[in-house]
Amino acid sequence: MEVSGCSVLELEENKREPEPEPGTGNDADIGDAAEKGGPSEANGDGGADGSESRDTQQNLNLSSGPSGSGSEPKRTRLKLFNKVMEKSLQRLITDASFQRFAHTFHPFYKLQPRVTQSIHRTFISQLQTSIQDDISQIMEEGNLQAQLDELDRLQEEASDTAEPAWRPSGVPEQDFQSFLIPYYLQQQEFLRKAVKSLEQENGRLAQSVQAGRERLSEAEKQIRESLGEWQVSETF
């Protein structure tokens, strides 16, 4: 694991400050606190980790825009989805606490406690950013915001209607008829309009063909008359 989050000053401070010898009470308390997963107050990391978790939870923001909780108290599916994702991410960040991280890398933590804390902060930051990017990508690819808004709109429209919502009658034949008959009637009306449109188009085409035939007949008549006049002039 690369130590990318620690600063040069922290490394120099770790070099300057003498580490307690193994077996001393201070080092033993730190190790026991890290192994038990409880708050590590011996080196002040517990309070820093707690405040870091609270700051991380406050900075979580998965919504695409302002929540508007004061002006819009009505809960929408998008807000509910963002809330669920936010709480899930909060729980994941909480589970990845510094105590558990120090317990997993306890030998390195005993040698370099400050470096371990810096690595943990970098790990939490990158993990949070990566998860938020994945959630945003999923929402964008699935067009979740538009789909959830459409569901809210349909629910609002359904709540405004006075007619009772459809419920199955228990007889499959009747249920299919109640669903298929309106569809068939709609298709019948569509086909009727299509046939009427085709008939009108055919009528216009027939008139155009008739006009073309009349022009051809008139042209043939003029040709015959011109031919007759030419033959008469040739005889004289």
Side-chain angles (χ1 to χ4, degrees), residues 2-234:
E2 296 181 1
V3 185
S4 59
C6 61
S7 62
V8 178
L9 293 177
E10 289 176 339
L11 292 175
E12 292 179 354
E13 289 177 1
N14 289 329
K15 293 179 180 179
R16 289 196 300 268
E17 294 180 1
E19 295 291 338
E21 297 180 358
T24 59
N26 194 14
D27 190 20
D29 293 340
I30 295 175
D32 294 340
E35 291 177 354
K36 292 178 182 179
S40 177
E41 298 179 358
N43 58 356
D45 293 339
D49 183 67
S51 61
E52 177 185 348
S53 299
R54 287 191 297 270
D55 294 339
T56 302
Q57 293 176 4
Q58 292 176 359
N59 292 331
L60 293 176
N61 184 13
L62 299 177
S63 59
S64 58
S67 58
S69 58
S71 60
E72 187 175 324
K74 185 177 180 180
R75 176 174 295 183
T76 62
R77 284 176 171 81
L78 180 60
K79 290 182 180 179
L80 182 61
F81 175 82
N82 290 330
K83 191 67 175 179
V84 170
M85 293 295 102
E86 180 181 346
K87 287 192 173 182
S88 300
L89 184 55
Q90 287 179 0
R91 182 171 299 179
L92 178 62
I93 298 300
T94 303
D95 290 340
S97 62
F98 177 72
Q99 287 79 13
R100 183 171 296 180
F101 187 83
H103 174 71
T104 304
F105 303 98
H106 186 58
F108 181 76
Y109 168 74
K110 292 183 69 176
L111 295 175
Q112 298 287 345
R114 294 190 179 183
V115 175
T116 306
Q117 185 178 5
S118 179
I119 294 174
H120 177 262
R121 284 197 297 266
T122 304
F123 167 73
I124 292 297
S125 177
Q126 293 181 358
L127 177 64
Q128 177 182 340
T129 302
S130 177
I131 293 176
Q132 288 178 341
D133 292 341
D134 290 342
I135 294 175
S136 300
Q137 184 177 1
I138 291 174
M139 292 185 65
E140 183 178 356
E141 291 178 354
N143 197 16
L144 289 183
Q145 182 173 355
Q147 300 295 334
L148 294 175
D149 291 341
E150 180 66 14
L151 288 175
D152 292 334
R153 185 186 66 81
L154 293 175
Q155 181 181 6
E156 185 176 357
E157 291 180 356
S159 62
D160 294 338
T161 58
E163 298 179 358
W166 181 87
R167 294 293 183 272
S169 62
V171 181
E173 292 81 2
Q174 295 181 1
D175 294 337
F176 274 108
Q177 288 178 1
S178 63
F179 173 75
L180 292 177
I181 289 178
Y183 173 75
Y184 286 151
L185 292 176
Q186 182 181 5
Q187 293 299 315
Q188 182 181 7
E189 181 66 17
F190 173 77
L191 293 176
R192 187 185 64 80
K193 292 181 178 180
V195 170
K196 184 177 180 181
S197 176
L198 289 175
E199 289 177 348
Q200 293 176 353
E201 182 67 21
N202 289 336
R204 289 192 294 269
L205 291 175
Q207 293 177 358
S208 177
V209 170
Q210 183 65 27
R213 289 177 177 176
E214 291 178 355
R215 287 194 297 271
L216 288 175
S217 178
E218 184 68 22
E220 290 178 355
K221 183 179 179 181
Q222 292 178 357
I223 291 173
R224 285 196 298 268
E225 292 178 353
S226 299
L227 182 60
E229 292 177 357
W230 177 75
Q231 290 177 349
V232 171
S233 62
E234 284 293 325

